[in-house]
Amino acid sequence: MGHHHGHSHDHGHHHHHSANKKALLSSCLLISIFMVVEVIGGFITNSLALLSDAGHMLSDAAALGLSFAAIKLGERKATQSKSFGYKRFEIIAAALNGLTLIVISVVIFIEAIRRFQNPPEVQSVGMLTIAVIGLIVNIIAAWILMSGDKENLNVRSAFLHVIGDLLGSVGAIVAALIIYFFGWGIADPIASIIVAILIIISGWRVVKESFHILMEGTPAQVNVKEVKSALLKIAHVKDVHDLHIWSITSGYMSLSCHIAIDKTVGHDTVLHEAQKLLHDQFSIEHSTLQVECYDKGCPTPHETCN
């Protein structure tokens, strides 16, 4: 019987890690500063579109701060009680960000319905000015986040927050122009509802993917049948069972399985080939493989397969 654990790190991972931290912190500071401006402007102009955008910016700032904290926490080394360290916290942060997006959308819907029944006066010029500045700030923040790793669910959830906010600014601009030229105050809650729908879709996607990882579901980019089929093609491998593939965090896949071989071959050769195949063909760097005799398995830790 053989048991092997393989794990390797790549310099690209550290590069993305550093870029993610810088991008999240920079965009968090930028959005936090403008959020204060937008809240004040929303109250002065009496615009729901601006206030909903400001509320979303508040969640942006919290989301970006949480994402940054998650990456910093994920840097902590593994301990005996947490053998994978704190890497999974990045996914918890992404899930919280997604849930926040959904809650904000519901609040915007409720306020928009109230405004449909009693449309208030909105100062369109002030609303337009602040919305345009907000759009520019969000474009800069989105550009900063694009320098991070788009495959990282934590960074992507923060990026979707900013994109939703950017759409909020576009909606506020369109509503302000309609109010200015046509005097249709109802454009303000309509713009808010359209943005809320877009935000809730993004939030649901992030929550769904986060929960899939937290439930240790198979990563979307990996086909279990293909992995099993590839392992079975290795010389002397007779069976592959107890195969599990999951993610610890974004881009950190793990695999465990039992490989049954015939008696005539040493397990070291099979382990080496299987490990190389998993790394090269499926980008799985963290794997635990157990090799056992095909005809009877390995009933005791002392029995070998040669």
Side-chain angles (χ1 to χ4, degrees):
M1 177 174 71
H3 179 84
H4 179 76
H5 163 83
H7 186 97
S8 65
H9 287 290
D10 149 27
H11 292 296
H13 173 74
H14 295 292
H15 171 72
H16 284 312
H17 197 71
S18 179
N20 291 344
K21 281 198 298 180
K22 186 178 179 181
L24 287 167
L25 184 59
S26 301
S27 51
C28 178
L29 292 173
L30 180 66
I31 284 178
S32 296
I33 292 168
F34 184 74
M35 176 196 68
V36 178
V37 175
E38 199 166 37
V39 168
I40 295 169
F43 279 113
I44 292 173
T45 61
N46 199 26
S47 166
L48 174 61
L50 276 186
L51 286 173
S52 63
D53 197 34
H56 190 217
M57 273 199 158
L58 175 62
S59 79
D60 281 351
L64 291 164
L66 184 61
S67 297
F68 177 76
I71 289 181
K72 287 293 289 180
L73 191 61
E75 291 175 348
R76 294 177 62 177
K77 293 181 179 180
T79 64
Q80 288 186 350
S81 62
K82 292 180 177 59
S83 59
F84 281 106
Y86 292 81
K87 297 182 187 300
R88 182 56 67 87
F89 188 73
E90 287 191 29
I91 303 304
I92 296 173
L96 289 173
N97 285 346
L99 289 170
T100 305
L101 283 169
I102 294 171
V103 170
I104 287 168
S105 300
V106 172
V107 171
I108 293 171
F109 273 120
I110 293 170
E111 179 60 20
I113 290 169
R114 190 182 68 79
R115 289 204 170 202
F116 272 123
Q117 297 167 345
N118 185 24
E121 288 291 323
V122 178
Q123 295 179 27
S124 57
V125 176
M127 176 182 173
L128 179 63
T129 304
I130 295 168
V132 168
I133 298 170
L135 177 63
I136 295 169
V137 168
N138 282 303
I139 289 172
I140 294 170
W143 180 78
I144 291 171
L145 284 171
M146 283 179 70
S147 66
D149 179 13
K150 267 72 70 183
E151 294 302 313
N152 184 294
L153 181 61
N154 192 32
V155 174
R156 192 159 86 249
S157 68
F159 179 75
L160 286 173
H161 263 271
V162 174
I163 291 299
D165 202 25
L166 189 150
L167 293 171
S169 296
V170 171
I173 290 170
V174 172
L177 290 171
I178 291 174
I179 293 168
Y180 180 77
F181 288 108
F182 302 102
W184 297 346
I186 203 169
D188 188 53
I190 289 175
S192 302
I193 283 181
I194 292 171
V195 173
I197 291 170
L198 295 171
I199 293 171
I200 206 167
I201 291 170
S202 296
W204 171 246
R205 284 176 180 168
V206 171
V207 169
K208 185 180 176 182
E209 192 169 343
S210 302
F211 274 65
H212 182 70
I213 292 176
L214 291 172
M215 292 297 293
E216 298 194 343
T218 304
Q221 68 269 38
V222 176
N223 185 312
V224 176
K225 289 182 179 178
E226 287 181 9
V227 174
K228 184 173 182 177
S229 177
L231 289 171
L232 284 169
K233 290 176 183 175
I234 297 174
H236 305 290
V237 172
K238 299 297 183 183
D239 185 36
V240 174
H241 56 274
D242 288 343
L243 174 60
H244 303 281
I245 308 172
W246 69 100
S247 296
I248 300 300
T249 187
S250 296
Y252 192 126
M253 289 188 291
S254 294
L255 174 148
S256 69
C257 74
H258 287 206
I259 299 176
I261 62 174
D262 58 38
K263 286 177 136 185
T264 61
V265 65
H267 60 71
D268 288 350
T269 304
V270 173
L271 280 173
H272 176 73
E273 287 188 36
Q275 200 72 37
K276 188 174 188 303
L277 181 148
L278 292 170
H279 177 275
D280 296 348
Q281 194 171 328
F282 298 100
S283 301
I284 298 173
E285 297 195 17
H286 186 280
S287 59
T288 303
L289 308 175
Q290 179 169 309
V291 176
E292 57 200 27
C293 297
Y294 177 66
D295 59 347
K296 58 182 175 180
C298 294
T300 70
H302 303 293
E303 185 171 349
T304 65
C305 300
N306 326 43

